[in-house]
Amino acid sequence: MRYKINRMIGIFDSGTGGLSVFREVRKLLPEERYIYYSDNANCPYGEKSKEYITERARAISSFLIGQGADIIVVACNTATAAAISTLREEFPINFIGMEPAVKPAAQKTRTGVVGVLATAGTLKASKYIDTREKWAQDVKIVEHIGQGFVELVENGILTGPEAENVVERSVRPLIEAGSDTIVLGCTHYPFLADTIMKVAGRPITLIDPAPAVARHLLEVMEQNGLIRKDGFSMSLNSSGDSTTLEYTYNNLV
Ligand code: DGL
């Protein structure tokens, strides 16, 4: 089979939140080519219907495949919950979705109380409810919509009094309920991690599923022979007072 040099990994989200997944993916797959679609015109997805989000996910996936994507990361919990099964049925490529990280959180908590922050769409989806029922039987789960979080991140307001006020309203109830571990169930929320920790006021563990999603992507790419073998690899060599950048072009087929 001839290797397609223009192939790439597609990633999409309602906005910039998916970049919290992209940064983990790129650590594991630095030589890949990427195309990122941020659906800003229709952000946020959180309160929109399953049908609407499925339609957006379908249109974006079709666009990304047209651009050369042969695997797509749905870097959005809300879109994963609403649409990933439809995408898998309709398109002949692999889709990697976000998993609410309830299982690692349930294993980690010492107080036995796990907080989950996510959008309304994610919290009411059967995918999340099934995960919670499967992995969180022995712990108490308290949930809260991260009200206004997506808007903060889209506006680049990640710290400071305004961010703290907004974040406090959703995080305080989780802390008061005894949570020592909080699942970040929306890809925008990791960008507010410092503010979440600050308003929590005591040590808590935040669980971001992005590194696990990146590892899963790597596995699926390995299984399907999609790891790039034709790209430039770059290495930085330092000796004495000189530094050289070496580009190696390998295995072009
Ligand atoms: N970043 C998305 C998620 O993971 C969507 C947030 C939104 O658009 O409401 O759920």
Side-chain angles (χ1 to χ4, degrees), residues 13-15 17-18 42-47 75-79 98 119 122 150 185-189:
D13 178 42
S14 64
N42 301 292
C43 185
Y45 283 176
E47 308 272 336
C76 173
N77 294 71
T78 315
M98 301 305 299
T119 66
T122 298
V150 170
C186 167
T187 56
H188 280 77
Y189 300 175

Side-chain angles (χ1 to χ4, degrees), residues 15-52:
T16 51
L19 294 175
S20 69
V21 182
F22 173 57
R23 68 184 172 185
E24 297 301 329
V25 166
R26 207 174 51 165
K27 279 184 205 162
L28 294 189
L29 293 159
E31 292 178 34
E32 296 297 318
R33 296 178 75 219
Y34 296 92
I35 178 166
Y36 184 92
Y37 192 102
S38 166
D39 196 12
N40 292 74
N42 301 292
C43 185
Y45 283 176
E47 308 272 336
K48 297 201 167 77
S49 71
K50 182 175 161 75
E51 293 69 31
Y52 181 90

Side-chain angles (χ1 to χ4, degrees):
M1 188 178 78
R2 197 168 163 79
Y3 194 81
K4 283 196 249 149
I5 193 159
N6 286 328
R7 56 157 299 275
M8 53 184 110
I9 299 173
I11 305 185
F12 77 88
D13 178 42
S14 64
T16 51
L19 294 175
S20 69
V21 182
F22 173 57
R23 68 184 172 185
E24 297 301 329
V25 166
R26 207 174 51 165
K27 279 184 205 162
L28 294 189
L29 293 159
E31 292 178 34
E32 296 297 318
R33 296 178 75 219
Y34 296 92
I35 178 166
Y36 184 92
Y37 192 102
S38 166
D39 196 12
N40 292 74
N42 301 292
C43 185
Y45 283 176
E47 308 272 336
K48 297 201 167 77
S49 71
K50 182 175 161 75
E51 293 69 31
Y52 181 90
I53 296 167
T54 302
E55 200 41 56
R56 290 305 306 146
R58 184 185 278 129
I60 294 165
S61 300
S62 180
F63 170 79
L64 293 174
I65 292 167
Q67 296 295 307
D70 56 8
I71 188 161
I72 291 180
V73 182
V74 184
C76 173
N77 294 71
T78 315
T80 300
I84 203 158
S85 49
T86 305
L87 298 176
R88 286 177 176 146
E89 273 164 27
E90 294 185 4
F91 296 98
I93 62 164
N94 284 295
F95 286 86
I96 308 296
M98 301 305 299
E99 279 289 328
V102 171
K103 183 183 173 191
Q107 288 164 346
K108 191 138 200 121
T109 178
R110 295 226 177 100
T111 58
V113 185
V114 169
V116 178
L117 288 169
T119 66
T122 298
L123 291 176
K124 67 172 189 244
S126 56
K127 193 173 166 62
Y128 167 69
I129 293 166
D130 292 349
T131 305
R132 191 185 61 192
E133 261 152 37
K134 187 163 176 202
W135 299 112
Q137 302 226 340
D138 301 330
V139 298
K140 182 177 167 196
I141 297 279
V142 276
E143 294 153 358
H144 213 287
I145 295 169
Q147 204 73 55
F149 288 23
V150 170
E151 290 78 359
L152 283 176
V153 173
E154 289 298 319
N155 289 306
I157 305 167
L158 308 182
T159 54
E162 185 182 347
E164 285 167 27
N165 273 339
V166 172
V167 167
E168 170 106 42
R169 285 198 286 272
S170 299
V171 169
R172 180 71 20 217
L174 304 183
I175 299 299
E176 280 169 4
S179 313
D180 63 346
T181 306
I182 294 182
V183 175
L184 301 178
C186 167
T187 56
H188 280 77
Y189 300 175
F191 292 116
L192 292 166
D194 289 345
T195 299
I196 295 171
M197 300 285 248
K198 186 170 179 195
V199 306
R202 60 180 159 83
I204 52 163
T205 304
L206 298 181
I207 312 269
D208 174 6
V213 169
R215 285 194 298 277
H216 180 52
L217 171 69
L218 175 65
E219 273 164 29
V220 173
M221 288 183 66
E222 277 169 353
Q223 282 158 12
N224 289 276
L226 292 175
I227 300 288
R228 204 168 181 83
K229 294 187 178 68
D230 59 339
F232 284 105
S233 59
M234 193 176 76
S235 58
L236 191 63
N237 306 309
S238 291
S239 65
D241 57 1
S242 73
T243 300
T244 56
L245 258 183
E246 275 181 22
Y247 293 92
T248 320
Y249 200 50
N250 46 51
N251 300 339
L252 181 61
V253 287

